[in-house]
């Protein structure tokens, strides 16, 4: 835009700049978010010459405002100041923001600086970015973004600079070095991984602060991926064992939490020779948090082992964890234990895992029971539904009345899968009454899940089965004195009717439903209108369906259109439009 700017267009810019000086924090915040607009209005030249210096000079005292500024400058701001060739100018205000006291602001400024680095040319990086990096003593986050884009001589300098940060007297700087070492190492050449990367890592891994040591676990994985198995054995094995056996539980927790990544990085051979004992050690750790983290890795780690080793080394630990004093450990185990079934095969699963499933299904802690139920499908594919239902069905029936509604909900969601494999006779005998009882549950989410469950069962067993097993019981609840039961009937019809045939709806459903359209409770009346709308949509595609809508649905909705309740009138009008749509 032309620098010879009309006076009337300068006024709003002046106002915005005044707002940046305002005492009202919200006004300043709004002004910061408007900076791209100001820059656009000023044009690239004036944005560079006036706006950027203004932002550089006015360092606010409110962290919230500074954070917003750091964020705005990282959002492709170079587009407003003349493109990539001028992007380095943004580094000035961001450098100031990188020096403020508040950590969040510094981190956001560093993030924006690395975004700017992505568009800088090699000469811009070497002329502007590298000096800035040297001025910011703790700018560890800034190294990975440019390492690959500079000359070998400057790369040497950067490695020396990062090595110095890894030995800094301030724990916060060493922490940042440990955090950013991994991303930086991905850009190192193979010889420099060994000559420079490993010494920095070893220094940090031996740090007196556990907050530094725990961050080196991810660095270890990056290095292991870059080395051959022989080099890992020679250069890293000691450090791996030290992290796993660290005196701080927080470091052991990180090692446990990343154990599968580490195992894959070092390779199957080292896992089988060296890491099985280390993993067992984590599964038996004194701290519950470490045991929980280790339990989440069980299936992933076991994939790297032979079946005999899993049975000899891992399964005994799993057995101990299923009896663990901490409910969180048991919950973590319950979420993962089914993953062992495909690895062990049918016979070993029946012998070793099935008793543990049953034990965990009876756990006092709802989350443990929930985690087991939600993963039963994996076990089912291994041992077959007959054996599963024979051994677990009593426990499932018991859980269907569990005091935790989330457990009841998980059981409901599992029922269609179970039913599909058990077949109609078994379902009718064992689970039919159970499914109907959920419709009267005190928790709405359970009643809702129960209606969806009935629809899925109708899809599994067919409409003729639904006509006999479901429809009479659902419609029977429509005359219940408690309005919640009547409401459940309406909601169940709304959900199930698209899966039923028109014949069943005409003979068994529409009559009782229209009776409910006269219910004294407005909520029930407008839900009937919704149900009629669903029916009109479901059956309006055939001549017979349109006749049904004309004879039954439209007259009922016309009557509801004059209801005394506004909501009923609204939903009736909406349903009438849908009912009329097939004719149009």
């Amino acid at each position: 835009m032309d620098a010879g700017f009309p006076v009337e267009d300068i006024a709003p810019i002046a106002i915005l700049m005044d707002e940046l000086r305002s005492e009202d924090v919200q006004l300043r915040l709004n002004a910061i978010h408007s900076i791209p607009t100001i820059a656009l209005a000023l044009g690239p030249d004036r944005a560079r010459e006036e706006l950027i210096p203004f932002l550089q000079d006015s360092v606010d005292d409110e962290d919230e405002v500074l954070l917003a500024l750091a964020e705005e400058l990282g959002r492709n701001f170079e587009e407003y100041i003349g493109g990539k060739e001028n992007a380095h100018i943004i580094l000035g205000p961001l450098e100031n923001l990188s020096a403020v006291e508040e950590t969040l602001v510094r981190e956001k400024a560093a993030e924006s600086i690395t975004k700017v680095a992505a568009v800088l040319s090699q000469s811009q990086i070497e002329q502007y970015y590298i000096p800035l990096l040297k001025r910011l003593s703790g700018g560890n986050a800034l190294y990975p973004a440019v390492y690959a884009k500079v000359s070998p001589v400057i790369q040497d300098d950067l490695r020396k600079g990062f090595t110095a940060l890894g030995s800094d007297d301030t724990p916060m700087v060493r922490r940042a070095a440990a955090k950013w070492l991994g991303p930086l190492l991905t850009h190192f050449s193979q010889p420099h991984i060994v000559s420079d990367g490993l010494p920095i890592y070893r220094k940090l891994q031996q740090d007196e602060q556990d907050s530094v040591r725990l961050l080196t676990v991810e660095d270890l994985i990056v290095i292991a991926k870059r080395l051959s198995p022989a080099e890992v054995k020679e250069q890293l094995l000691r450090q791996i064992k030290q992290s796993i056996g660290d005196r701080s539980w927080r470091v052991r927790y990180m090692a446990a939490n990343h154990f599968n990544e580490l195992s894959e990085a070092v390779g199957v051979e080292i896992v089988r020779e060296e890491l099985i004992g280390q993993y067992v050690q984590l599964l038996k750790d004194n701290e519950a948090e470490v045991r929980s983290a280790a339990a989440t890795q069980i299936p992933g780690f076991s994939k790297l082992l032979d079946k005999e080793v899993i049975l000899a080394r891992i399964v005994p630990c799993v057995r101990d964890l299923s009896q663990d004093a901490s409910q969180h450990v048991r919950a973590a185990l319950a979420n993962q234990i089914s993953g062992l079934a495909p690895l062990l095969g049918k016979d070993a699963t029946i012998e070793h895992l099935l008793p543990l499933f049953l034990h965990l299904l009876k756990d006092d802690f709802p989350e443990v029971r929930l985690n087991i139920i939600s993963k039963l499908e994996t076990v089912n594919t291994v041992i077959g539904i007959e054996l599963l239902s024979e051994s677990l069905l009593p426990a499932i029936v018991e859980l269907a009345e569990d005091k935790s509604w989330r457990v009841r909900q998980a059981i409901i969601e599992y029922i269609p899968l179970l039913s599909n494999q058990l077949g109609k006779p078994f379902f009718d005998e064992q689970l039919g009454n159970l499914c109907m009882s959920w419709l009267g549950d005190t928790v709405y989410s359970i009643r809702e899940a129960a209606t969806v469950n009935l629809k899925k069962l109708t899809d599994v067993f067919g409409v003729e089965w639904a006509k006999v097993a479901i429809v009479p019981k659902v419609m029977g609840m429509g005359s219940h004195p408690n309005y919640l039961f009547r409401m459940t009937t309406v909601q169940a019809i709304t959900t199930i009717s698209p899966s039923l045939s028109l014949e069943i709806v005409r003979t068994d459903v529409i009559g009782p439903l229209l009776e409910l359209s006269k219910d004294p409770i407005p909520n029930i009346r407008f839900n009937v209108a919704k149900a009629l709308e669903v029916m009109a949509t479901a059956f309006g595609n055939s001549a017979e369906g349109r006749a049904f809508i004309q004879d039954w649905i439209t007259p009922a909705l016309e009557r509801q259109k004059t209801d005394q309740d506004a909501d009923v009138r609204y939903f009736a009008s909406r349903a009438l439009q849908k009912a009329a749509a097939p004719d149009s």
Side-chain angles (χ1 to χ4, degrees):
M1 209 175 271
D2 197 311
F5 220 55
V7 173
E8 63 272 18
D9 288 342
I10 295 173
I13 297 159
I15 292 167
L16 280 165
M17 287 190 164
D18 282 344
E19 283 179 352
L20 285 172
R21 296 189 181 99
S22 163
E23 287 184 17
D24 184 345
V25 176
Q26 192 56 49
L27 264 179
R28 298 206 302 276
L29 210 50
N30 293 343
I32 291 292
H33 289 305
S34 304
I35 281 175
T37 313
I38 303 175
L40 200 59
L42 284 171
D45 295 341
R46 291 186 63 198
R48 287 197 304 275
E49 290 157 17
E50 295 174 35
L51 183 59
I52 296 288
F54 173 78
L55 295 174
Q56 196 158 345
D57 295 340
S58 61
V59 172
D60 204 288
D61 55 354
E62 239 352 288
D63 292 335
E64 196 181 354
V65 178
L66 296 175
L67 188 65
L69 177 58
E71 194 169 356
E72 287 296 338
L73 290 174
R75 286 181 173 162
N76 304 323
F77 198 76
E78 69 279 356
E79 291 172 9
Y80 303 107
I81 59 167
K84 295 177 182 180
E85 61 272 21
N86 296 300
H88 60 272
I89 296 169
I90 307 169
L91 296 175
L94 285 171
E95 182 176 353
N96 289 351
L97 292 168
S98 300
V100 301
E101 201 174 323
E102 173 54 45
T103 310
L104 278 175
V105 178
R106 289 202 310 275
E107 285 177 354
K108 183 56 74 176
E111 187 186 315
S112 292
I113 289 173
T114 57
K115 285 179 182 173
V116 173
V119 300
L120 295 178
S121 65
Q122 184 176 340
S123 61
Q124 283 174 309
I125 288 171
E126 293 180 0
Q127 191 178 345
Y128 301 103
Y129 190 100
I130 301 297
L132 170 143
L133 195 150
K134 289 176 179 172
R135 289 194 296 274
L136 293 172
S137 57
N140 313 59
L142 309 182
Y143 280 75
V146 294
Y147 183 84
K149 295 173 82 171
V150 294
S151 64
V153 176
I154 292 176
Q155 285 184 348
D156 290 345
D157 278 353
L158 290 178
R159 290 196 302 278
K160 284 174 192 162
F162 203 91
T163 304
L165 292 172
S167 307
D168 197 275
D169 292 338
T170 315
M172 192 165 73
V173 175
R174 299 199 304 277
R175 251 198 314 277
K179 181 180 176 182
W180 292 103
L181 177 60
L184 179 62
L185 289 172
T186 58
H187 301 294
F188 275 23
S189 65
Q190 197 65 25
H192 290 139
I193 289 275
V194 177
S195 64
D196 298 83
L198 268 173
I200 301 171
Y201 160 72
R202 284 186 180 133
K203 184 97 174 77
L204 293 166
Q205 197 259 340
Q206 298 287 337
D207 199 278
E208 60 189 25
Q209 299 271 334
D210 67 348
S211 60
V212 176
R213 295 199 306 278
L214 69 86
L215 292 167
T216 62
V217 172
E218 292 181 54
D219 304 332
L220 169 62
I221 293 165
V222 174
I223 296 172
K225 282 178 180 171
R226 298 288 301 274
L227 299 181
S228 67
E231 287 174 315
V232 168
K233 211 167 188 176
E234 184 190 333
Q235 305 278 7
L236 286 180
L237 201 55
R238 200 165 125 262
Q239 278 75 24
I240 292 171
K241 290 181 176 178
Q242 280 174 349
S243 289
I244 292 168
D246 197 279
R247 62 184 180 277
S248 164
W249 72 267
R250 296 202 302 160
V251 180
R252 299 197 305 276
Y253 170 83
M254 281 297 278
N257 210 27
H258 290 85
F259 208 87
N260 287 348
E261 286 176 74
L262 179 62
S263 301
E264 283 166 21
V266 301
V268 174
E269 190 186 329
I270 293 175
V271 166
R272 294 182 176 184
E273 285 176 19
E274 305 286 350
L275 292 192
I276 297 170
Q278 303 295 318
Y279 183 60
V280 168
Q281 186 183 316
L282 290 170
L283 287 171
K284 294 181 173 179
D285 198 274
N286 295 332
E287 293 293 334
E289 284 84 352
V290 178
R291 296 197 301 278
S292 292
T296 64
Q297 310 287 299
I298 286 172
F301 182 70
S302 299
K303 279 178 189 165
L304 304 172
L305 309 178
D306 292 328
K307 180 178 166 182
E308 291 68 29
V309 179
I310 299 173
L311 287 170
R313 304 294 301 274
I314 305 297
V315 170
C317 295
V318 168
R319 204 171 286 123
D320 293 343
L321 291 174
S322 71
Q323 313 270 353
D324 199 280
S326 164
Q327 60 197 35
H328 302 294
V329 175
R330 299 196 306 276
L333 175 70
N335 205 21
Q336 299 295 334
I337 188 172
S338 60
L340 284 175
L343 303 174
L344 292 179
K346 184 173 180 178
D347 295 341
T349 297
I350 293 165
E351 186 183 343
H352 298 285
L353 296 186
L354 210 52
L356 300 181
F357 290 141
L358 283 166
H359 175 74
L360 291 167
L361 270 174
K362 292 172 183 167
D363 198 281
D364 293 336
F365 188 49
E367 196 182 339
V368 178
R369 306 194 293 272
L370 190 61
N371 288 350
I372 281 286
I373 296 157
S374 59
K375 297 291 172 76
L376 279 179
E377 201 173 338
T378 315
V379 186
N380 171 32
T381 55
V382 176
I383 67 169
I385 196 70
E386 282 179 31
L387 195 66
L388 188 67
S389 60
E390 191 182 300
S391 53
L392 297 183
L393 196 66
I396 286 171
V397 172
E398 200 178 316
L399 289 173
E401 294 163 1
D402 196 278
K403 56 183 179 289
S404 165
W405 68 267
R406 284 190 174 84
V407 173
R408 299 202 298 277
Q409 190 174 25
I411 286 287
I412 293 173
E413 285 164 5
Y414 183 63
I415 288 290
L417 172 80
L418 202 60
S419 310
N420 191 18
Q421 287 148 340
L422 290 171
K424 269 189 235 178
F426 186 92
F427 175 86
D428 290 340
E429 185 186 333
Q430 302 281 353
L431 298 171
N433 290 333
L434 194 60
C435 288
M436 298 311 297
S437 70
W438 283 319
L439 290 169
D441 199 280
T442 52
V443 177
Y444 172 75
S445 294
I446 298 298
R447 296 197 299 275
E448 185 183 35
T451 61
V452 173
N453 178 44
L454 293 180
K455 177 180 169 27
K456 287 179 180 170
L457 288 171
T458 303
D459 295 338
V460 170
F461 292 148
V463 290
E464 288 306 316
W465 171 83
K467 180 179 180 178
V468 176
I470 292 180
V471 174
K473 292 173 183 173
V474 169
M475 300 320 296
M477 288 168 64
S479 54
H480 198 284
N482 184 329
Y483 93 95
L484 283 176
F485 284 85
R486 302 200 299 278
M487 177 71 90
T488 303
T489 292
V490 178
Q491 287 170 334
I493 291 167
T494 309
T495 307
I496 298 166
S497 58
S499 296
L500 299 174
S501 67
L502 180 59
E503 183 57 35
I504 293 171
V505 171
R506 189 192 283 119
T507 53
D508 298 312
V509 174
I510 193 72
L513 183 65
L514 294 184
E515 281 303 309
L516 287 167
S517 72
K518 303 166 191 167
D519 199 276
I521 307 289
N523 267 20
I524 290 178
R525 297 202 300 277
F526 78 63
N527 271 290
V528 169
K530 286 183 182 177
L532 293 172
E533 181 182 335
V534 168
M535 284 184 184
T537 309
F539 301 117
N541 296 325
S542 66
E544 196 183 355
R546 286 193 289 275
F548 168 73
I549 292 167
Q550 204 63 42
D551 296 345
W552 292 91
I553 293 177
T554 307
L557 291 171
E558 288 288 359
R559 194 182 67 252
Q560 283 195 314
K561 246 176 83 172
T562 59
D563 196 279
Q564 60 196 29
D565 186 88
D567 288 334
V568 178
R569 293 196 300 275
Y570 167 75
F571 285 109
S573 300
R574 195 181 77 174
L576 264 172
Q577 286 174 350
K578 288 279 174 72
D583 296 329
S584 55

